[in-house]
Amino acid sequence: MELTAIPDIPLSSGAEIPQLGYGVWQIPDDEAEQAVTRAIEVGYRSIDTAMVYGNEAGVGRAVRASDVPRDELFVTTKIWNTDQGADTTRPAFERSLGLLGLDYVDLYLIHWPAAQNDRYLDTWRVMEQLVEEGLVRSIGVSNFEVPHLERLLAECDVPPALNQVELHPYLHQRTLRAFHAQQEIVTEAWSPLGQAAVLDDPTLAGIAAKHGVSAAQVTLRWHLQLGIVAIPKSANPGRIAENIDLFGFELDAEDLAAIDTLDREERVGSHPDDVS
Ligand code: A2P
């Protein structure tokens, strides 16, 4: 079996996103180029960054230097909370695009709803224009909850293609996923390994031993089998490769049922209401 046969997931925009991507949160700019280069070499085709990560320049250098053609790579970045708004969104996007050194990004996300500031609808209208102008292929959101999505869907011309949220074996996000399914919004998981918190779980360890893989691989395989897009982060070359080596085994119904019982609605990151 091919080790890097990453499926593509269709987006409502008409584009497709690789189901497994490489997340670069907490990777310093001067290390990002090397890490992203390694990720592309071992088969990742999707890279997830954000203005606030401070590493768009390093990511862009790796993407531009790669032998893989630009149209076979999928680059996501995100607008930071303080840049949201009718007049500030375009300059923020142009800053990201300039740091990346690219002609377009594949996916532009609102990083957090920051609902207290009440600017995500104004932000979205500018993002719709960026799509119109060909500077962005697909637009979506991150850390939105059902009420934020309902408000956006009621007001928008272009619906959000995807919502990127914290999602791992201790936080299944069942309500959001059901809503996404109704609305053709793809679910994408940040911290799919719960920032490594799930990796010592005895249930996952048992499943890993049964298949001769690691608990991280079981966790990421679980995301894939649920139809979720996952973007594991690792700064370690061996683990970058391990996290994409998911196509030589399959979780059975018993494994999936066992992981289903692990949900404890436990976050490793912030709740969307607490970020402004
Ligand atoms: P490192 O960068 O040293 O590999 P998440 O993607 O859920 O936020 O998790 C990221 C955390 O999990 C990082 O601390 C990362 O450390 C660690 N990690 C990533 N992949 C693996 C793996 N395959 N095995 C163990 N730890 C991992």
PDB file of all heavy atoms in Angstrom, residues 78-115:
ATOM      1  N   LYS A  78      -4.423  32.540   8.012  1.00  0.00           N
ATOM      2  CA  LYS A  78      -5.588  33.003   8.778  1.00  0.00           C
ATOM      3  C   LYS A  78      -5.409  34.467   9.173  1.00  0.00           C
ATOM      4  O   LYS A  78      -4.291  34.903   9.479  1.00  0.00           O
ATOM      5  CB  LYS A  78      -5.749  32.174  10.069  1.00  0.00           C
ATOM      6  CG  LYS A  78      -5.546  30.681   9.863  1.00  0.00           C
ATOM      7  CD  LYS A  78      -5.843  29.862  11.101  1.00  0.00           C
ATOM      8  CE  LYS A  78      -5.426  28.414  10.890  1.00  0.00           C
ATOM      9  NZ  LYS A  78      -3.992  28.180  11.113  1.00  0.00           N
ATOM     10  N   ILE A  79      -6.530  35.164   9.211  1.00  0.00           N
ATOM     11  CA  ILE A  79      -6.491  36.560   9.658  1.00  0.00           C
ATOM     12  C   ILE A  79      -6.574  36.612  11.181  1.00  0.00           C
ATOM     13  O   ILE A  79      -7.403  35.926  11.793  1.00  0.00           O
ATOM     14  CB  ILE A  79      -7.626  37.387   9.003  1.00  0.00           C
ATOM     15  CG1 ILE A  79      -7.529  38.854   9.444  1.00  0.00           C
ATOM     16  CG2 ILE A  79      -9.020  36.819   9.301  1.00  0.00           C
ATOM     17  CD1 ILE A  79      -8.319  39.808   8.574  1.00  0.00           C
ATOM     18  N   TRP A  80      -5.707  37.415  11.786  1.00  0.00           N
ATOM     19  CA  TRP A  80      -5.700  37.524  13.252  1.00  0.00           C
ATOM     20  C   TRP A  80      -6.832  38.446  13.732  1.00  0.00           C
ATOM     21  O   TRP A  80      -7.311  39.311  12.996  1.00  0.00           O
ATOM     22  CB  TRP A  80      -4.325  37.974  13.774  1.00  0.00           C
ATOM     23  CG  TRP A  80      -4.306  37.928  15.278  1.00  0.00           C
ATOM     24  CD1 TRP A  80      -4.091  38.963  16.140  1.00  0.00           C
ATOM     25  CD2 TRP A  80      -4.583  36.764  16.078  1.00  0.00           C
ATOM     26  NE1 TRP A  80      -4.200  38.507  17.439  1.00  0.00           N
ATOM     27  CE2 TRP A  80      -4.519  37.173  17.432  1.00  0.00           C
ATOM     28  CE3 TRP A  80      -4.909  35.432  15.785  1.00  0.00           C
ATOM     29  CZ2 TRP A  80      -4.759  36.293  18.496  1.00  0.00           C
ATOM     30  CZ3 TRP A  80      -5.141  34.554  16.846  1.00  0.00           C
ATOM     31  CH2 TRP A  80      -5.057  34.991  18.180  1.00  0.00           C
ATOM     32  N   ASN A  81      -7.242  38.237  14.965  1.00  0.00           N
ATOM     33  CA  ASN A  81      -8.423  38.899  15.537  1.00  0.00           C
ATOM     34  C   ASN A  81      -8.379  40.421  15.416  1.00  0.00           C
ATOM     35  O   ASN A  81      -9.365  41.057  15.067  1.00  0.00           O
ATOM     36  CB  ASN A  81      -8.543  38.523  17.025  1.00  0.00           C
ATOM     37  CG  ASN A  81      -8.534  37.022  17.230  1.00  0.00           C
ATOM     38  OD1 ASN A  81      -8.811  36.264  16.298  1.00  0.00           O
ATOM     39  ND2 ASN A  81      -8.198  36.576  18.420  1.00  0.00           N
ATOM     40  N   THR A  82      -7.216  41.005  15.730  1.00  0.00           N
ATOM     41  CA  THR A  82      -7.127  42.465  15.737  1.00  0.00           C
ATOM     42  C   THR A  82      -7.096  43.044  14.321  1.00  0.00           C
ATOM     43  O   THR A  82      -7.208  44.254  14.151  1.00  0.00           O
ATOM     44  CB  THR A  82      -5.867  42.917  16.502  1.00  0.00           C
ATOM     45  OG1 THR A  82      -4.752  42.141  16.025  1.00  0.00           O
ATOM     46  CG2 THR A  82      -6.026  42.705  17.996  1.00  0.00           C
ATOM     47  N   ASP A  83      -6.948  42.194  13.322  1.00  0.00           N
ATOM     48  CA  ASP A  83      -6.972  42.654  11.923  1.00  0.00           C
ATOM     49  C   ASP A  83      -8.366  42.537  11.304  1.00  0.00           C
ATOM     50  O   ASP A  83      -8.576  42.960  10.165  1.00  0.00           O
ATOM     51  CB  ASP A  83      -5.994  41.833  11.072  1.00  0.00           C
ATOM     52  CG  ASP A  83      -4.543  42.159  11.402  1.00  0.00           C
ATOM     53  OD1 ASP A  83      -4.266  43.333  11.727  1.00  0.00           O
ATOM     54  OD2 ASP A  83      -3.712  41.244  11.346  1.00  0.00           O
ATOM     55  N   GLN A  84      -9.296  41.942  12.029  1.00  0.00           N
ATOM     56  CA  GLN A  84     -10.638  41.808  11.475  1.00  0.00           C
ATOM     57  C   GLN A  84     -11.294  43.183  11.295  1.00  0.00           C
ATOM     58  O   GLN A  84     -11.065  44.085  12.100  1.00  0.00           O
ATOM     59  CB  GLN A  84     -11.515  40.989  12.422  1.00  0.00           C
ATOM     60  CG  GLN A  84     -11.298  39.492  12.359  1.00  0.00           C
ATOM     61  CD  GLN A  84     -12.487  38.758  12.978  1.00  0.00           C
ATOM     62  OE1 GLN A  84     -13.634  39.120  12.742  1.00  0.00           O
ATOM     63  NE2 GLN A  84     -12.207  37.744  13.765  1.00  0.00           N
ATOM     64  N   GLY A  85     -12.139  43.321  10.257  1.00  0.00           N
ATOM     65  CA  GLY A  85     -12.882  44.560  10.060  1.00  0.00           C
ATOM     66  C   GLY A  85     -12.936  44.965   8.605  1.00  0.00           C
ATOM     67  O   GLY A  85     -12.150  44.480   7.780  1.00  0.00           O
ATOM     68  N   ALA A  86     -13.847  45.876   8.298  1.00  0.00           N
ATOM     69  CA  ALA A  86     -14.102  46.272   6.909  1.00  0.00           C
ATOM     70  C   ALA A  86     -12.861  46.888   6.254  1.00  0.00           C
ATOM     71  O   ALA A  86     -12.599  46.663   5.073  1.00  0.00           O
ATOM     72  CB  ALA A  86     -15.274  47.258   6.869  1.00  0.00           C
ATOM     73  N   ASP A  87     -12.103  47.681   7.020  1.00  0.00           N
ATOM     74  CA  ASP A  87     -10.966  48.389   6.421  1.00  0.00           C
ATOM     75  C   ASP A  87      -9.626  47.707   6.662  1.00  0.00           C
ATOM     76  O   ASP A  87      -8.624  48.070   6.044  1.00  0.00           O
ATOM     77  CB  ASP A  87     -10.882  49.817   7.001  1.00  0.00           C
ATOM     78  CG  ASP A  87     -12.148  50.591   6.724  1.00  0.00           C
ATOM     79  OD1 ASP A  87     -12.761  50.353   5.656  1.00  0.00           O
ATOM     80  OD2 ASP A  87     -12.553  51.393   7.588  1.00  0.00           O
ATOM     81  N   THR A  88      -9.587  46.773   7.566  1.00  0.00           N
ATOM     82  CA  THR A  88      -8.302  46.198   7.987  1.00  0.00           C
ATOM     83  C   THR A  88      -8.045  44.799   7.420  1.00  0.00           C
ATOM     84  O   THR A  88      -6.917  44.319   7.450  1.00  0.00           O
ATOM     85  CB  THR A  88      -8.254  46.136   9.532  1.00  0.00           C
ATOM     86  OG1 THR A  88      -9.513  45.631   9.990  1.00  0.00           O
ATOM     87  CG2 THR A  88      -8.021  47.505  10.124  1.00  0.00           C
ATOM     88  N   THR A  89      -9.091  44.172   6.901  1.00  0.00           N
ATOM     89  CA  THR A  89      -8.932  42.790   6.429  1.00  0.00           C
ATOM     90  C   THR A  89      -8.047  42.727   5.188  1.00  0.00           C
ATOM     91  O   THR A  89      -7.134  41.901   5.107  1.00  0.00           O
ATOM     92  CB  THR A  89     -10.313  42.168   6.150  1.00  0.00           C
ATOM     93  OG1 THR A  89     -11.025  42.098   7.385  1.00  0.00           O
ATOM     94  CG2 THR A  89     -10.200  40.770   5.555  1.00  0.00           C
ATOM     95  N   ARG A  90      -8.294  43.604   4.222  1.00  0.00           N
ATOM     96  CA  ARG A  90      -7.493  43.533   2.993  1.00  0.00           C
ATOM     97  C   ARG A  90      -6.001  43.804   3.252  1.00  0.00           C
ATOM     98  O   ARG A  90      -5.155  43.023   2.796  1.00  0.00           O
ATOM     99  CB  ARG A  90      -8.044  44.479   1.918  1.00  0.00           C
ATOM    100  CG  ARG A  90      -7.269  44.406   0.593  1.00  0.00           C
ATOM    101  CD  ARG A  90      -7.882  45.307  -0.454  1.00  0.00           C
ATOM    102  NE  ARG A  90      -9.155  44.785  -0.899  1.00  0.00           N
ATOM    103  CZ  ARG A  90      -9.317  43.951  -1.944  1.00  0.00           C
ATOM    104  NH1 ARG A  90      -8.277  43.562  -2.652  1.00  0.00           N
ATOM    105  NH2 ARG A  90     -10.513  43.541  -2.276  1.00  0.00           N
ATOM    106  N   PRO A  91      -5.665  44.855   4.000  1.00  0.00           N
ATOM    107  CA  PRO A  91      -4.236  45.041   4.282  1.00  0.00           C
ATOM    108  C   PRO A  91      -3.610  43.846   5.011  1.00  0.00           C
ATOM    109  O   PRO A  91      -2.466  43.485   4.739  1.00  0.00           O
ATOM    110  CB  PRO A  91      -4.197  46.292   5.171  1.00  0.00           C
ATOM    111  CG  PRO A  91      -5.486  46.988   4.949  1.00  0.00           C
ATOM    112  CD  PRO A  91      -6.480  45.983   4.481  1.00  0.00           C
ATOM    113  N   ALA A  92      -4.368  43.241   5.907  1.00  0.00           N
ATOM    114  CA  ALA A  92      -3.822  42.071   6.637  1.00  0.00           C
ATOM    115  C   ALA A  92      -3.590  40.925   5.660  1.00  0.00           C
ATOM    116  O   ALA A  92      -2.553  40.253   5.707  1.00  0.00           O
ATOM    117  CB  ALA A  92      -4.782  41.641   7.738  1.00  0.00           C
ATOM    118  N   PHE A  93      -4.555  40.713   4.759  1.00  0.00           N
ATOM    119  CA  PHE A  93      -4.378  39.638   3.774  1.00  0.00           C
ATOM    120  C   PHE A  93      -3.168  39.919   2.894  1.00  0.00           C
ATOM    121  O   PHE A  93      -2.351  39.028   2.631  1.00  0.00           O
ATOM    122  CB  PHE A  93      -5.636  39.475   2.901  1.00  0.00           C
ATOM    123  CG  PHE A  93      -5.394  38.512   1.780  1.00  0.00           C
ATOM    124  CD1 PHE A  93      -5.337  37.150   2.028  1.00  0.00           C
ATOM    125  CD2 PHE A  93      -5.147  38.964   0.488  1.00  0.00           C
ATOM    126  CE1 PHE A  93      -5.048  36.251   1.021  1.00  0.00           C
ATOM    127  CE2 PHE A  93      -4.858  38.066  -0.530  1.00  0.00           C
ATOM    128  CZ  PHE A  93      -4.814  36.704  -0.255  1.00  0.00           C
ATOM    129  N   GLU A  94      -3.037  41.171   2.459  1.00  0.00           N
ATOM    130  CA  GLU A  94      -1.904  41.508   1.580  1.00  0.00           C
ATOM    131  C   GLU A  94      -0.570  41.320   2.304  1.00  0.00           C
ATOM    132  O   GLU A  94       0.425  40.915   1.695  1.00  0.00           O
ATOM    133  CB  GLU A  94      -2.068  42.933   1.034  1.00  0.00           C
ATOM    134  CG  GLU A  94      -3.166  42.961  -0.032  1.00  0.00           C
ATOM    135  CD  GLU A  94      -3.544  44.358  -0.506  1.00  0.00           C
ATOM    136  OE1 GLU A  94      -3.052  45.342   0.093  1.00  0.00           O
ATOM    137  OE2 GLU A  94      -4.356  44.450  -1.452  1.00  0.00           O
ATOM    138  N   ARG A  95      -0.560  41.584   3.600  1.00  0.00           N
ATOM    139  CA  ARG A  95       0.658  41.365   4.376  1.00  0.00           C
ATOM    140  C   ARG A  95       1.007  39.874   4.412  1.00  0.00           C
ATOM    141  O   ARG A  95       2.146  39.477   4.180  1.00  0.00           O
ATOM    142  CB  ARG A  95       0.459  41.923   5.789  1.00  0.00           C
ATOM    143  CG  ARG A  95       1.733  42.202   6.530  1.00  0.00           C
ATOM    144  CD  ARG A  95       1.518  43.227   7.659  1.00  0.00           C
ATOM    145  NE  ARG A  95       0.781  42.686   8.784  1.00  0.00           N
ATOM    146  CZ  ARG A  95      -0.424  43.090   9.174  1.00  0.00           C
ATOM    147  NH1 ARG A  95      -1.067  44.061   8.534  1.00  0.00           N
ATOM    148  NH2 ARG A  95      -1.014  42.545  10.225  1.00  0.00           N
ATOM    149  N   SER A  96      -0.006  39.043   4.652  1.00  0.00           N
ATOM    150  CA  SER A  96       0.221  37.585   4.653  1.00  0.00           C
ATOM    151  C   SER A  96       0.718  37.107   3.294  1.00  0.00           C
ATOM    152  O   SER A  96       1.680  36.330   3.203  1.00  0.00           O
ATOM    153  CB  SER A  96      -1.072  36.831   4.993  1.00  0.00           C
ATOM    154  OG  SER A  96      -1.345  36.898   6.370  1.00  0.00           O
ATOM    155  N   LEU A  97       0.047  37.559   2.247  1.00  0.00           N
ATOM    156  CA  LEU A  97       0.419  37.107   0.897  1.00  0.00           C
ATOM    157  C   LEU A  97       1.856  37.539   0.576  1.00  0.00           C
ATOM    158  O   LEU A  97       2.624  36.786  -0.025  1.00  0.00           O
ATOM    159  CB  LEU A  97      -0.568  37.697  -0.117  1.00  0.00           C
ATOM    160  CG  LEU A  97      -0.608  37.034  -1.487  1.00  0.00           C
ATOM    161  CD1 LEU A  97      -1.100  35.591  -1.397  1.00  0.00           C
ATOM    162  CD2 LEU A  97      -1.525  37.829  -2.432  1.00  0.00           C
ATOM    163  N   GLY A  98       2.213  38.760   1.021  1.00  0.00           N
ATOM    164  CA  GLY A  98       3.567  39.269   0.790  1.00  0.00           C
ATOM    165  C   GLY A  98       4.606  38.461   1.565  1.00  0.00           C
ATOM    166  O   GLY A  98       5.671  38.128   1.040  1.00  0.00           O
ATOM    167  N   LEU A  99       4.306  38.146   2.815  1.00  0.00           N
ATOM    168  CA  LEU A  99       5.244  37.343   3.608  1.00  0.00           C
ATOM    169  C   LEU A  99       5.408  35.953   3.008  1.00  0.00           C
ATOM    170  O   LEU A  99       6.508  35.411   2.948  1.00  0.00           O
ATOM    171  CB  LEU A  99       4.749  37.234   5.058  1.00  0.00           C
ATOM    172  CG  LEU A  99       4.938  38.495   5.899  1.00  0.00           C
ATOM    173  CD1 LEU A  99       4.108  38.424   7.180  1.00  0.00           C
ATOM    174  CD2 LEU A  99       6.414  38.682   6.260  1.00  0.00           C
ATOM    175  N   LEU A 100       4.304  35.384   2.552  1.00  0.00           N
ATOM    176  CA  LEU A 100       4.375  34.061   1.914  1.00  0.00           C
ATOM    177  C   LEU A 100       5.094  34.147   0.564  1.00  0.00           C
ATOM    178  O   LEU A 100       5.698  33.169   0.119  1.00  0.00           O
ATOM    179  CB  LEU A 100       2.958  33.497   1.704  1.00  0.00           C
ATOM    180  CG  LEU A 100       2.232  33.003   2.967  1.00  0.00           C
ATOM    181  CD1 LEU A 100       0.723  32.892   2.723  1.00  0.00           C
ATOM    182  CD2 LEU A 100       2.793  31.654   3.417  1.00  0.00           C
ATOM    183  N   GLY A 101       4.995  35.312  -0.081  1.00  0.00           N
ATOM    184  CA  GLY A 101       5.605  35.480  -1.402  1.00  0.00           C
ATOM    185  C   GLY A 101       4.877  34.683  -2.472  1.00  0.00           C
ATOM    186  O   GLY A 101       5.489  34.201  -3.427  1.00  0.00           O
ATOM    187  N   LEU A 102       3.566  34.549  -2.308  1.00  0.00           N
ATOM    188  CA  LEU A 102       2.761  33.759  -3.247  1.00  0.00           C
ATOM    189  C   LEU A 102       1.785  34.664  -3.995  1.00  0.00           C
ATOM    190  O   LEU A 102       1.530  35.804  -3.602  1.00  0.00           O
ATOM    191  CB  LEU A 102       1.976  32.682  -2.476  1.00  0.00           C
ATOM    192  CG  LEU A 102       2.833  31.672  -1.691  1.00  0.00           C
ATOM    193  CD1 LEU A 102       1.929  30.732  -0.898  1.00  0.00           C
ATOM    194  CD2 LEU A 102       3.746  30.882  -2.627  1.00  0.00           C
ATOM    195  N   ASP A 103       1.231  34.118  -5.096  1.00  0.00           N
ATOM    196  CA  ASP A 103       0.240  34.865  -5.883  1.00  0.00           C
ATOM    197  C   ASP A 103      -1.173  34.690  -5.323  1.00  0.00           C
ATOM    198  O   ASP A 103      -2.060  35.484  -5.589  1.00  0.00           O
ATOM    199  CB  ASP A 103       0.216  34.350  -7.333  1.00  0.00           C
ATOM    200  CG  ASP A 103       1.555  34.534  -8.016  1.00  0.00           C
ATOM    201  OD1 ASP A 103       2.266  35.484  -7.643  1.00  0.00           O
ATOM    202  OD2 ASP A 103       1.886  33.719  -8.902  1.00  0.00           O
ATOM    203  N   TYR A 104      -1.377  33.589  -4.629  1.00  0.00           N
ATOM    204  CA  TYR A 104      -2.700  33.325  -4.053  1.00  0.00           C
ATOM    205  C   TYR A 104      -2.524  32.370  -2.875  1.00  0.00           C
ATOM    206  O   TYR A 104      -1.493  31.696  -2.764  1.00  0.00           O
ATOM    207  CB  TYR A 104      -3.650  32.695  -5.089  1.00  0.00           C
ATOM    208  CG  TYR A 104      -3.266  31.297  -5.524  1.00  0.00           C
ATOM    209  CD1 TYR A 104      -3.793  30.180  -4.879  1.00  0.00           C
ATOM    210  CD2 TYR A 104      -2.345  31.090  -6.550  1.00  0.00           C
ATOM    211  CE1 TYR A 104      -3.421  28.889  -5.259  1.00  0.00           C
ATOM    212  CE2 TYR A 104      -1.966  29.810  -6.927  1.00  0.00           C
ATOM    213  CZ  TYR A 104      -2.508  28.711  -6.283  1.00  0.00           C
ATOM    214  OH  TYR A 104      -2.122  27.441  -6.639  1.00  0.00           O
ATOM    215  N   VAL A 105      -3.523  32.317  -2.005  1.00  0.00           N
ATOM    216  CA  VAL A 105      -3.553  31.243  -1.007  1.00  0.00           C
ATOM    217  C   VAL A 105      -4.756  30.353  -1.310  1.00  0.00           C
ATOM    218  O   VAL A 105      -5.757  30.792  -1.884  1.00  0.00           O
ATOM    219  CB  VAL A 105      -3.596  31.732   0.463  1.00  0.00           C
ATOM    220  CG1 VAL A 105      -2.373  32.558   0.798  1.00  0.00           C
ATOM    221  CG2 VAL A 105      -4.856  32.485   0.759  1.00  0.00           C
ATOM    222  N   ASP A 106      -4.614  29.096  -0.944  1.00  0.00           N
ATOM    223  CA  ASP A 106      -5.689  28.141  -1.218  1.00  0.00           C
ATOM    224  C   ASP A 106      -6.865  28.326  -0.283  1.00  0.00           C
ATOM    225  O   ASP A 106      -8.013  28.138  -0.681  1.00  0.00           O
ATOM    226  CB  ASP A 106      -5.134  26.711  -1.117  1.00  0.00           C
ATOM    227  CG  ASP A 106      -4.140  26.462  -2.227  1.00  0.00           C
ATOM    228  OD1 ASP A 106      -4.563  26.096  -3.325  1.00  0.00           O
ATOM    229  OD2 ASP A 106      -2.931  26.714  -2.017  1.00  0.00           O
ATOM    230  N   LEU A 107      -6.563  28.660   0.966  1.00  0.00           N
ATOM    231  CA  LEU A 107      -7.637  28.768   1.958  1.00  0.00           C
ATOM    232  C   LEU A 107      -7.289  29.890   2.929  1.00  0.00           C
ATOM    233  O   LEU A 107      -6.194  29.912   3.495  1.00  0.00           O
ATOM    234  CB  LEU A 107      -7.763  27.428   2.708  1.00  0.00           C
ATOM    235  CG  LEU A 107      -8.829  27.314   3.794  1.00  0.00           C
ATOM    236  CD1 LEU A 107     -10.238  27.479   3.218  1.00  0.00           C
ATOM    237  CD2 LEU A 107      -8.723  25.951   4.508  1.00  0.00           C
ATOM    238  N   TYR A 108      -8.232  30.827   3.094  1.00  0.00           N
ATOM    239  CA  TYR A 108      -8.032  31.923   4.055  1.00  0.00           C
ATOM    240  C   TYR A 108      -9.115  31.790   5.115  1.00  0.00           C
ATOM    241  O   TYR A 108     -10.307  31.687   4.787  1.00  0.00           O
ATOM    242  CB  TYR A 108      -8.138  33.269   3.331  1.00  0.00           C
ATOM    243  CG  TYR A 108      -7.567  34.449   4.092  1.00  0.00           C
ATOM    244  CD1 TYR A 108      -6.393  34.354   4.820  1.00  0.00           C
ATOM    245  CD2 TYR A 108      -8.200  35.693   4.053  1.00  0.00           C
ATOM    246  CE1 TYR A 108      -5.864  35.438   5.506  1.00  0.00           C
ATOM    247  CE2 TYR A 108      -7.681  36.797   4.719  1.00  0.00           C
ATOM    248  CZ  TYR A 108      -6.505  36.660   5.446  1.00  0.00           C
ATOM    249  OH  TYR A 108      -5.974  37.739   6.118  1.00  0.00           O
ATOM    250  N   LEU A 109      -8.692  31.771   6.375  1.00  0.00           N
ATOM    251  CA  LEU A 109      -9.625  31.524   7.477  1.00  0.00           C
ATOM    252  C   LEU A 109      -9.688  32.714   8.429  1.00  0.00           C
ATOM    253  O   LEU A 109      -8.666  33.375   8.677  1.00  0.00           O
ATOM    254  CB  LEU A 109      -9.177  30.294   8.293  1.00  0.00           C
ATOM    255  CG  LEU A 109      -9.030  28.965   7.561  1.00  0.00           C
ATOM    256  CD1 LEU A 109      -8.560  27.878   8.550  1.00  0.00           C
ATOM    257  CD2 LEU A 109     -10.335  28.543   6.903  1.00  0.00           C
ATOM    258  N   ILE A 110     -10.866  32.938   9.006  1.00  0.00           N
ATOM    259  CA  ILE A 110     -10.982  33.830  10.171  1.00  0.00           C
ATOM    260  C   ILE A 110     -10.519  33.018  11.382  1.00  0.00           C
ATOM    261  O   ILE A 110     -11.117  31.984  11.696  1.00  0.00           O
ATOM    262  CB  ILE A 110     -12.435  34.310  10.363  1.00  0.00           C
ATOM    263  CG1 ILE A 110     -12.916  35.107   9.141  1.00  0.00           C
ATOM    264  CG2 ILE A 110     -12.543  35.138  11.648  1.00  0.00           C
ATOM    265  CD1 ILE A 110     -14.336  35.655   9.278  1.00  0.00           C
ATOM    266  N   HIS A 111      -9.450  33.454  12.046  1.00  0.00           N
ATOM    267  CA  HIS A 111      -8.774  32.604  13.031  1.00  0.00           C
ATOM    268  C   HIS A 111      -9.654  32.288  14.247  1.00  0.00           C
ATOM    269  O   HIS A 111      -9.672  31.159  14.730  1.00  0.00           O
ATOM    270  CB  HIS A 111      -7.476  33.289  13.479  1.00  0.00           C
ATOM    271  CG  HIS A 111      -6.446  32.342  13.986  1.00  0.00           C
ATOM    272  ND1 HIS A 111      -5.098  32.515  13.759  1.00  0.00           N
ATOM    273  CD2 HIS A 111      -6.552  31.209  14.714  1.00  0.00           C
ATOM    274  CE1 HIS A 111      -4.432  31.514  14.322  1.00  0.00           C
ATOM    275  NE2 HIS A 111      -5.293  30.720  14.900  1.00  0.00           N
ATOM    276  N   TRP A 112     -10.359  33.315  14.745  1.00  0.00           N
ATOM    277  CA  TRP A 112     -11.304  33.144  15.877  1.00  0.00           C
ATOM    278  C   TRP A 112     -12.496  34.061  15.595  1.00  0.00           C
ATOM    279  O   TRP A 112     -12.316  35.136  15.009  1.00  0.00           O
ATOM    280  CB  TRP A 112     -10.669  33.570  17.205  1.00  0.00           C
ATOM    281  CG  TRP A 112      -9.539  32.713  17.682  1.00  0.00           C
ATOM    282  CD1 TRP A 112      -8.211  32.864  17.366  1.00  0.00           C
ATOM    283  CD2 TRP A 112      -9.608  31.568  18.549  1.00  0.00           C
ATOM    284  NE1 TRP A 112      -7.469  31.885  17.993  1.00  0.00           N
ATOM    285  CE2 TRP A 112      -8.291  31.079  18.725  1.00  0.00           C
ATOM    286  CE3 TRP A 112     -10.662  30.907  19.202  1.00  0.00           C
ATOM    287  CZ2 TRP A 112      -7.997  29.967  19.512  1.00  0.00           C
ATOM    288  CZ3 TRP A 112     -10.362  29.803  20.001  1.00  0.00           C
ATOM    289  CH2 TRP A 112      -9.047  29.343  20.151  1.00  0.00           C
ATOM    290  N   PRO A 113     -13.688  33.689  16.054  1.00  0.00           N
ATOM    291  CA  PRO A 113     -14.823  34.598  15.813  1.00  0.00           C
ATOM    292  C   PRO A 113     -14.623  35.943  16.513  1.00  0.00           C
ATOM    293  O   PRO A 113     -15.067  36.965  15.985  1.00  0.00           O
ATOM    294  CB  PRO A 113     -16.025  33.833  16.384  1.00  0.00           C
ATOM    295  CG  PRO A 113     -15.473  32.736  17.237  1.00  0.00           C
ATOM    296  CD  PRO A 113     -14.102  32.434  16.708  1.00  0.00           C
ATOM    297  N   ALA A 114     -13.974  35.936  17.690  1.00  0.00           N
ATOM    298  CA  ALA A 114     -13.805  37.164  18.484  1.00  0.00           C
ATOM    299  C   ALA A 114     -15.128  37.930  18.508  1.00  0.00           C
ATOM    300  O   ALA A 114     -15.203  39.112  18.171  1.00  0.00           O
ATOM    301  CB  ALA A 114     -12.664  38.022  17.915  1.00  0.00           C
ATOM    302  N   ALA A 115     -16.175  37.221  18.906  1.00  0.00           N
ATOM    303  CA  ALA A 115     -17.545  37.726  18.769  1.00  0.00           C
ATOM    304  C   ALA A 115     -17.777  39.015  19.548  1.00  0.00           C
ATOM    305  O   ALA A 115     -18.623  39.826  19.174  1.00  0.00           O
ATOM    306  CB  ALA A 115     -18.534  36.644  19.204  1.00  0.00           C
TER     307      ALA A 115
END
